[in-house]
Amino acid sequence: MKAPAGQQPAESAGRRAIWLSIAALAMTFMLPLAGLVMALFALMAGIKALPLLKGEGKPTGVAVGGITVSAIALALSTMSTGLQLYLMDEYSAYQECMKGAGTVSSQGECFTQFRDAAERKLPADVLELLGAMQP
């Protein structure tokens, strides 16, 4: 692989790692499963960039930053994907309810039913954590 003009392969590997990790973090909030896959790629890119940068005597901060951000994205996307899979039945019922909801009040009732079903299924400590995350 050729690096862009004026850049060494190690420097471009470090930049690739940080950009992939930022993309993974953004993707985690939109599509958690895609964020999970992207975070794995970013983590691998950061790990591969680290010895390249060290070998050329370049600063490793960009690669370490990419590894850190991708690890955070990996943890968040894993938890989010797991929660979605755990609440799959409740979410499917919510979607079915929303299909038949013609008014705002009936949509609110669908959400209330979903929230109540999720509260029955989730342990109390997870609910406290999720409640603390709300604005």
Side-chain angles (χ1 to χ4, degrees):
M1 173 172 74
K2 272 193 115 163
Q7 247 184 16
Q8 300 297 324
E11 291 173 355
S12 65
R15 290 182 197 271
R16 185 179 318 109
I18 194 73
W19 281 112
L20 280 173
S21 66
I22 291 169
L25 190 59
M27 190 68 80
T28 295
F29 294 109
M30 293 184 283
L31 298 165
L33 189 57
L36 181 73
V37 173
M38 182 74 84
L40 288 172
F41 283 124
L43 191 60
M44 288 188 298
I47 291 170
K48 286 182 178 182
L50 208 51
L52 288 174
L53 288 167
K54 281 184 181 178
E56 290 188 11
K58 304 283 183 181
T60 58
V62 175
V64 172
I67 291 169
T68 304
V69 173
S70 62
I72 291 168
L74 185 63
L76 288 173
S77 61
T78 300
M79 288 187 296
S80 182
T81 301
L83 187 62
Q84 284 181 346
L85 291 173
Y86 186 66
L87 295 175
M88 187 182 310
D89 294 336
E90 289 76 10
Y91 189 66
S92 294
Y94 171 72
Q95 287 179 326
E96 287 298 317
C97 181
M98 288 297 283
K99 285 180 185 175
T103 64
V104 173
S105 62
S106 59
Q107 290 174 352
E109 181 62 32
C110 290
F111 179 74
T112 302
Q113 289 173 2
F114 171 72
R115 186 187 64 219
D116 293 343
E119 285 177 351
R120 283 190 299 273
K121 192 167 185 178
L122 291 173
D125 54 347
V126 173
L127 291 174
E128 289 176 19
L129 177 66
L130 292 175
M133 296 171 113
Q134 288 181 335

